[in-house]
Amino acid sequence: MPTSRYGRGFIVNITHLKVKFSLPPEQAWPGIQDYLTELILPTQFKGTEVETLTDLLRQKVVWHQAGGPVDKEMYTDVKRLLNRIIVAIDKELGIENPDIGQYHA
């Protein structure tokens, strides 16, 4: 039985965020900050691009939840940022040419 309400971990939470941001903007934004509550950056990613991008993700989501505009530009920005995090993770894991691909959510 899961003990975390919105997920705990790094890949788990990034995956939840990707699912939320596959929805239309008006459905993606509500409650999105909850998925950052137990987002844990693994020590192997400290000091890397993954950490930098994850910090940026937190800033964008927290800023938006604090009353920032609900617009498609910020929504698209966060979707791109999540893709950049995923590619950066693959690079850190030794994949030479990770690519998000043309067809993805």
Side-chain angles (χ1 to χ4, degrees):
M1 183 88 179
T3 59
S4 176
R5 190 161 182 187
Y6 297 100
R8 179 182 312 113
F10 188 66
I11 299 299
V12 168
N13 293 62
I14 293 295
T15 302
H16 290 325
L17 290 164
K18 282 288 290 177
V19 169
K20 278 287 276 181
F21 276 89
S22 68
L23 301 171
E26 60 278 358
Q27 293 175 346
W29 284 115
I32 199 70
Q33 190 171 350
D34 295 332
Y35 294 94
L36 297 179
T37 304
E38 296 186 77
L39 177 73
I40 302 163
L41 182 75
T43 54
Q44 71 197 61
F45 296 136
K46 295 212 185 271
T48 69
E49 181 182 17
V50 175
E51 181 178 32
T52 302
L53 295 172
T54 301
D55 288 346
L56 184 58
L57 173 68
R58 287 182 195 274
Q59 290 170 10
K60 286 181 180 288
V61 169
V62 169
W63 177 82
H64 183 273
Q65 295 298 119
V70 179
D71 61 24
K72 291 181 182 179
E73 184 177 318
M74 177 66 86
Y75 168 83
T76 303
D77 209 25
V78 170
K79 285 182 74 159
R80 277 193 219 117
L81 184 55
L82 286 165
N83 289 339
R84 289 178 60 199
I85 291 170
I86 292 167
V87 169
I89 290 167
D90 269 355
K91 284 181 182 176
E92 287 298 319
L93 294 175
I95 306 298
E96 288 184 35
N97 269 331
D99 187 325
I100 203 68
Q102 290 180 332
Y103 304 104
H104 61 282

